[in-house]
């Protein structure tokens, strides 16, 4: 590689081009100058010698560096990694400065993106389809007509079980394979710094989440007289405890990675203009919005509809169901509306109507009970409880205990309903207690047996042939 200063005369440049071509040089470098408008570029093309234009003022220094890049790329790589390491060790920095240093050292465009391709920091890159895959660093070669060089992609994983959380993408200009190797190693080093930053942020977020959860628990235990700690904590987190609150309780329908859920859910809620407070609880997440004045009764739809849209937008990754409480005032009202929201969420999740968000006022108790009874899990449990009666073909005992419990455990009323003597009722109830090993004088035992009877009776209306045996036949049950 031969270098020449920009003030070199054109005739001398032409002579130098011919000489270096004869000597077998691999290229000719000049600094920017007027000669580029002359015959030098045409002669270089004719001779087949790459002509490079640089901004270097010292051609000797440029020639030495080019020689080092060509014949000792491992030293260049060591310099890049060393400089990057020194920059990263100076302070605990955020991704932005890390990407700036990496881009400067590699003369590349660098971007930090999430798993769906959203740019979190750095340059905006057009990533090929299917780029963000795999769990190890890899390189994507450029398309034949692309003006760019290799694309280096490094996954950033915080939780091995859930896969990469972020991706570091480095778009190189055209260059030799040695530059790609350097970029790969430098990107891995930069990714490690981002992992440290993300881990610190996650720890801080988890600590903050625990503090919010503890504070809400303290508030809900004594909502009538919140202490100083609750008042100060609410002030720090921006909770307006004395407004009108509308509570929401959210629960996952199936297992999903929970590390990212708060951020994703919060973004989905804010996207629907639901600006409230999200706090993790033992059985899900509590969310509430606060108004200064009392909302109208018709305004419940103002939160139900956008809440449905928000949950639907993230349902593929985080399938959530939610219950909404009534608007309540003050700290006691917050406790009440969150309790209503939890109840609505629990009852709505037992139905088969596909309701993703249910308001406590929209739930019909009888319909909910019918849906509850029709659940296969409840029917299975009911079969197990009443199995000794069905196995013996005791249809009369089943009818008698159902009527007995529906008539508030009155033998006389049961006898009148069935048209038998009250002593016969007492005898049959004693046989039921013996076969089921229960004591129907105890409230809990009565409740369990009555729920089992109702589950098979009401739930069986939809599948009577399968769940309820015909009268006079011996039903068959399978243990599940």
């Amino acid at each position: 590689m031969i270098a020449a200063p920009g003030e070199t005369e054109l005739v001398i440049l032409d002579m130098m081009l011919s000489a270096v071509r004869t000597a077998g040089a691999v290229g000719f470098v000049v600094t920017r100058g007027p000669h580029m408008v002359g015959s030098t570029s045409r002669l270089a093309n004719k001779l087949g010698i790459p002509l490079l234009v640089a901004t270097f003022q010292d051609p000797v220094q440029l020639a030495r560096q080019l020689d080092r890049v060509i014949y000792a790329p491992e030293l260049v790589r060591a310099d890049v990694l060393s400089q990057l390491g020194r920059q990263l060790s100076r302070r605990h920095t955020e991704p932005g400065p890390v990407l700036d240093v990496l881009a400067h050292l590699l003369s590349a465009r660098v971007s930090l993106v999430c798993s769906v391709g959203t740019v979190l920091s750095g340059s905006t890159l057009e990533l090929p389809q299917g780029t963000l895959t795999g769990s190890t660093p890899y390189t994507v070669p450029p398309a034949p007509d692309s003006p760019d060089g290799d694309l280096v992609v490094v996954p950033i994983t915080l939780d091995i079980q859930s896969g990469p959380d972020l991706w570091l993408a480095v778009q190189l200009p055209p260059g030799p394979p040695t530059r790609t190797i350097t970029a790969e190693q430098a990107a891995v080093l930069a990714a490690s710094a981002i992992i440290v930053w993300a881990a610190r942020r996650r720890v801080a977020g988890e600590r903050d989440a625990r503090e919010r959860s503890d504070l809400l628990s303290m508030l809900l235990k004594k909502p009538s007289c919140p202490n100083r700690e609750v008042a100060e904590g609410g002030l720090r987190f921006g909770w307006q405890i004395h407004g009108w609150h509308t509570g929401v309780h959210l629960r996952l329908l199936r297992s999903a990675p929970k590390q990212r859920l708060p951020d994703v859910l919060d973004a989905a809620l804010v996207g629907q203009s639901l600006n409230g407070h999200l706090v993790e609880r033992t059985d899900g997440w509590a969310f509430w919005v606060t108004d200064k004045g009392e909302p109208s009764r018709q305004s419940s739809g103002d939160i139900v509809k956008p809440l449905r849209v928000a949950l639907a937008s993230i349902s593929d990754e985080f399938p959530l169901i939610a219950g909404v409480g009534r608007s309540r005032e003050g700290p006691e009202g917050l406790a009440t509306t969150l309790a209503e929201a939890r109840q609505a969420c629990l009852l709505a999740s037992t139905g088969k109507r596909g309701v993703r968000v249910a308001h406590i006022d929209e739930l019909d108790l009888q319909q909910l009970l019918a849906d509850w009874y029709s659940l296969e899990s409840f029917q299975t449990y009911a079969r197990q409880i009443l199995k000794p009666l069905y196995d013996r073909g005791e249809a009369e005992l089943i009818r008698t205990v159902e009527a007995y419990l529906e008539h508030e455990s009155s033998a006389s009323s049961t006898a009148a309903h069935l048209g038998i003597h009250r002593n016969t009722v007492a005898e049959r109830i004693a046989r039921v207690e013996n076969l089921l090993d229960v004591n129907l004088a105890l409230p809990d035992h009565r409740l369990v047996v009555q729920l089992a009877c109702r589950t098979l009776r009401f739930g069986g209306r939809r599948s009577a042939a399968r769940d309820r045996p015909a009268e006079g036949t011996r039903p068959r049950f399978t243990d599940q």
Side-chain angles (χ1 to χ4, degrees):
M1 183 72 71
I2 304 298
E7 61 274 10
T8 305
E9 296 183 4
L10 293 179
V11 62
I12 298 178
L13 283 176
D14 292 345
M15 294 174 60
M16 292 179 66
L17 273 173
S18 300
V20 299
R21 175 66 177 83
T22 305
V26 297
F28 193 77
V29 180
V30 295
T31 54
R32 193 176 302 276
H35 49 266
M36 290 309 300
V37 298
S39 62
T40 307
S41 58
R42 293 191 294 273
L43 179 59
N45 291 334
K46 181 178 179 181
L47 298 176
I49 297 179
L51 182 63
L52 307 179
V53 180
T55 57
F56 253 79
Q57 297 300 319
D58 187 350
V60 176
Q61 181 67 18
L62 173 61
R64 289 176 179 174
Q65 291 209 9
L66 291 173
D67 184 72
R68 193 164 179 259
V69 169
I70 295 172
Y71 295 105
E74 66 280 357
L75 297 180
V76 177
R77 186 177 310 129
D79 284 346
V80 171
L81 297 178
S82 177
Q83 292 182 54
L84 179 60
R86 286 195 299 271
Q87 292 285 342
L88 299 180
S89 64
R90 289 180 179 177
R91 60 185 182 277
H92 303 311
T93 184
E94 294 189 354
V98 173
L99 302 188
D100 291 342
V101 171
L102 188 63
H104 173 72
L105 292 176
L106 298 177
S107 299
R109 290 176 292 146
V110 184
S111 179
L112 181 67
V113 299
C114 67
S115 57
V116 296
T118 302
V119 177
L120 304 181
S121 183
S123 305
T124 300
L125 303 179
E126 294 185 5
L127 302 178
Q129 187 71 24
T131 298
L132 305 181
T133 58
S135 57
T136 57
Y138 58 93
T139 299
V140 180
D145 56 346
S146 174
D148 295 317
D150 291 336
L151 174 67
V152 176
V153 182
V154 178
I156 298 176
T157 303
L158 299 178
D159 188 346
I160 298 178
Q161 295 181 347
S162 62
D165 301 272
L166 304 171
W167 301 80
L168 182 61
V170 180
Q171 180 62 72
L172 295 169
T178 54
R179 170 180 283 186
T180 301
I181 297 174
T182 300
E184 291 173 349
Q185 297 181 8
V188 170
L189 182 59
S192 64
I194 296 176
I195 289 176
V196 172
W197 164 81
R200 286 196 179 93
R201 185 180 180 187
R202 174 168 293 184
V203 169
E206 291 175 350
R207 186 188 306 114
D208 183 70
R210 285 195 301 270
E211 291 178 358
R212 292 173 185 267
S213 180
D214 293 343
L215 184 64
L216 181 60
S217 297
M218 294 172 59
L219 175 61
L220 298 183
K221 285 180 181 179
K222 294 183 178 180
S224 59
C225 52
N227 58 27
R228 177 179 177 180
E229 185 177 358
V230 171
E232 291 180 349
L235 183 63
R236 180 161 62 93
F237 292 127
W239 297 359
Q240 299 176 2
I241 298 177
H242 296 284
W244 282 84
H245 314 286
T246 303
V248 179
H249 187 83
L250 304 109
R251 184 173 65 83
L252 278 169
L253 291 174
R254 61 174 184 270
S255 60
K258 296 183 179 180
Q259 290 81 5
R260 295 179 53 250
L261 191 149
D263 290 338
V264 174
L265 177 57
D266 187 64
L269 294 172
V270 172
Q272 294 300 316
S273 299
L274 294 175
N275 301 302
H277 308 284
L278 183 66
V279 179
E280 184 173 2
R281 306 190 69 182
T282 55
D283 58 343
W285 287 263
F287 174 78
W288 70 93
V289 294
T290 304
D291 297 305
K292 292 182 179 180
E294 181 180 3
S296 64
R297 180 173 291 271
Q298 292 76 16
S299 65
S300 63
D302 294 342
I303 187 172
V304 171
K305 293 179 181 178
L307 188 56
R308 284 197 176 107
V309 175
L311 299 190
S313 67
I314 61 174
S315 60
D316 291 341
E317 186 175 6
F318 299 108
L320 290 160
I321 191 166
V324 181
R326 302 179 184 92
S327 294
R328 306 285 186 175
E329 185 180 13
E332 292 182 282
L334 177 59
T336 302
T337 186
L338 289 178
E340 291 174 346
R342 177 183 283 181
Q343 180 186 9
C345 183
L346 174 64
L347 295 178
S349 66
T350 64
K352 294 184 177 181
R353 292 171 293 172
V355 177
R356 186 170 295 277
V357 178
H359 194 281
I360 189 67
D361 289 338
E362 297 174 352
L363 301 178
D364 181 81
L365 182 58
Q366 295 299 325
Q367 180 62 50
L368 287 173
L369 288 174
D371 288 342
W372 200 349
Y373 294 148
S374 67
L375 284 178
E376 182 61 29
S377 58
F378 283 93
Q379 292 188 32
T380 300
Y381 185 63
R383 293 188 192 105
Q384 293 300 322
I385 292 175
L386 301 178
K387 189 173 183 292
L389 300 181
Y390 283 120
D391 282 348
R392 292 173 176 268
E394 299 284 0
E396 289 183 345
L397 294 184
I398 295 171
R399 287 199 306 273
T400 301
V401 73
E402 285 182 349
Y404 178 77
L405 295 172
E406 294 294 332
H407 288 82
E408 301 179 349
S409 302
S410 171
S412 299
S413 299
T414 304
H417 176 75
L418 296 177
I420 59 178
H421 197 277
R422 69 183 307 276
N423 290 342
T424 304
V425 173
E427 179 185 66
R428 290 180 180 178
I429 293 302
R431 290 179 60 194
V432 168
E433 290 178 328
N434 182 58
L435 290 173
L436 299 184
D437 192 24
V438 296
N439 181 1
L440 294 180
L442 299 176
D444 289 344
H445 289 206
R446 286 199 306 271
L447 177 61
V448 169
V449 176
Q450 186 172 25
L451 284 176
C453 292
R454 284 192 171 194
T455 297
L456 294 186
R457 178 152 49 96
F458 290 121
R461 289 175 181 172
R462 301 180 182 180
S463 54
R466 181 192 66 192
D467 294 336
R468 281 296 301 274
E471 185 173 327
T473 63
R474 181 189 179 103
R476 298 184 180 275
F477 289 85
T478 56
D479 294 329
Q480 299 185 31

